[in-house]
């Protein structure tokens, strides 16, 4: 059983499509082990995306991620990291496969509805950033 972090970004929360997105994860065999709605500050967003601090999109990404509420989730299941990323689709919705979350809902590469951990190590950091072990059931 593997765990991954999934985020429904401010654009998804604002558009009120949480159920549609969560339903897709559940339909594909992932279970929600923890979930909460939060509003990150700019500093919290910077801390979460610290790995991208030298990238040109860092400021716009952290601005976006702190502009409104997000939903953070721990998803679990067999190959949860890879499965989550497959369900989300390519980062750029123009390149995402038909039927993926980003193809169906994302506006563009920056406002792409969802985030998912990309590796076991990343998932451990990201889950720990938002959840204590007592919150994951």
């Amino acid at each position: 059983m593997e765990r991954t972090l999934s985020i429904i970004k401010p654009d998804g929360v604002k558009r009120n499509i949480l159920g549609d997105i969560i339903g897709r994860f559940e339909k594909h065999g992932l279970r929600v082990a923890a979930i909460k709605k939060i509003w990150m500050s700019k500093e919290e967003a910077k801390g979460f995306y610290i790995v991208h601090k030298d990238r040109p999109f860092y400021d716009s990404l952290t601005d976006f991620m702190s502009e409104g509420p997000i939903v953070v989730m721990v998803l679990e299941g067999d190959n949860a990291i890879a499965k989550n990323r497959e369900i989300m689709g390519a980062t750029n919705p123009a390149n995402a496969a038909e039927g993926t979350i980003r193809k169906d809902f994302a506006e563009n590469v920056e406002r792409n509805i969802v985030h998912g951990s990309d590796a076991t190590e990343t998932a451990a950091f990201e889950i720990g950033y938002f959840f204590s072990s007592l919150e994951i059931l």
Side-chain angles (χ1 to χ4, degrees), residues 71-116:
V71 171
V72 291
M73 298 176 281
V74 176
L75 302 177
E76 68 179 15
D78 293 333
N79 300 309
I81 295 169
K83 190 177 286 188
N84 179 36
R85 295 185 69 75
E86 181 181 332
I87 297 163
M88 289 189 312
T91 303
N92 185 341
N95 301 329
E98 292 296 325
T100 62
I101 292 169
R102 288 178 172 149
K103 185 68 166 186
D104 292 345
F105 299 115
E107 294 175 37
N108 57 53
V109 70
E110 287 197 357
R111 293 184 171 273
N112 62 11
I113 298 288
V114 287
H115 165 90

Side-chain angles (χ1 to χ4, degrees), residues 16-130:
N16 200 33
I17 55 175
L18 304 177
D20 293 328
I21 294 170
I22 295 168
R24 291 203 187 190
F25 294 129
E26 291 178 328
K27 178 183 170 189
H28 287 92
L30 295 174
R31 187 181 82 77
V32 177
I35 187 169
K36 59 185 164 184
K37 188 179 200 180
I38 64 170
W39 193 328
M40 281 196 292
S41 68
K42 173 78 170 181
E43 290 307 310
E44 289 166 333
K46 283 181 169 185
F48 181 71
Y49 285 108
I50 194 71
V51 67
H52 297 304
K53 73 178 181 334
D54 296 326
R55 308 288 291 273
F57 58 83
Y58 181 66
D59 281 332
S60 63
L61 173 63
T62 55
D63 283 343
F64 167 54
M65 290 300 291
S66 60
E67 77 179 24
I70 62 173
V71 171
V72 291
M73 298 176 281
V74 176
L75 302 177
E76 68 179 15
D78 293 333
N79 300 309
I81 295 169
K83 190 177 286 188
N84 179 36
R85 295 185 69 75
E86 181 181 332
I87 297 163
M88 289 189 312
T91 303
N92 185 341
N95 301 329
E98 292 296 325
T100 62
I101 292 169
R102 288 178 172 149
K103 185 68 166 186
D104 292 345
F105 299 115
E107 294 175 37
N108 57 53
V109 70
E110 287 197 357
R111 293 184 171 273
N112 62 11
I113 298 288
V114 287
H115 165 90
S117 304
D118 62 3
T120 306
E121 301 78 20
T122 310
F125 166 79
E126 293 181 346
I127 290 168
Y129 197 84
F130 294 109

